[in-house]
Amino acid sequence: MTSAVVATPLTAPQQTSVDQLLKSYQAQGASTPSITAGAEFWQTKGDNGIACTACHGQDLTQAGKHIKTKRAIEAMAPSVNPERLSDVGKVEKWFKRNCKSVWNRECTATEKANVLAWLATQ
């Protein structure tokens, strides 16, 4: 598994984090990341009846808003937000928290690899 799935240039810290995470997910049994599957997963309503778009919006270059707290969420697209995908610990923290919020469970390594691959193209 390589960063070849990334279609847009990332900053060095973003690329390093993406590469580390994809290698980690592969070690956990993830299949080759699919950008298409990542986009579909992002749009799909989970067990709680919401999708990632409920808070992050459809346009990841724009800020989102948490549906309960109404707090602003900075743009997810790494192309406009250099902090996105630049810290392995933060990416893992938010996957854990948000997967539990949307899906009532932690996401699988393959699901995370797919979403990460797709987010890296935004």
Side-chain angles (χ1 to χ4, degrees):
M1 185 177 316
T2 67
S3 60
V5 296
V6 178
T8 58
L10 297 173
T11 66
Q14 290 168 330
Q15 189 64 59
T16 299
S17 294
V18 168
D19 289 343
Q20 287 175 337
L21 286 163
L22 290 176
K23 286 177 186 173
S24 172
Y25 300 147
Q26 181 181 29
Q28 296 170 42
S31 57
T32 301
S34 165
I35 293 170
T36 302
E40 289 172 4
F41 189 80
W42 186 268
Q43 301 283 333
T44 301
K45 288 184 180 180
D47 295 340
N48 286 329
I50 59 171
C52 301
T53 57
C55 294
H56 295 288
Q58 295 287 336
D59 181 355
L60 299 185
T61 65
Q62 301 297 311
K65 183 172 22 173
H66 192 278
I67 60 173
K68 290 183 182 177
T69 66
K70 307 300 182 208
R71 285 185 63 189
I73 299 171
E74 291 184 38
M76 284 298 297
S79 62
V80 298
N81 184 350
E83 292 298 310
R84 291 294 185 208
L85 310 182
S86 65
D87 183 301
V88 169
K90 285 183 181 180
V91 172
E92 279 297 295
K93 168 189 164 183
W94 288 108
F95 265 136
K96 185 173 184 175
R97 185 176 292 180
N98 290 337
C99 287
K100 286 184 177 183
S101 293
V102 174
W103 298 96
N104 281 334
R105 62 173 173 82
E106 290 190 35
C107 289
T108 68
T110 296
E111 290 165 340
K112 291 190 283 187
N114 291 342
V115 169
L116 182 62
W118 175 71
L119 284 174
T121 68
Q122 302 303 299

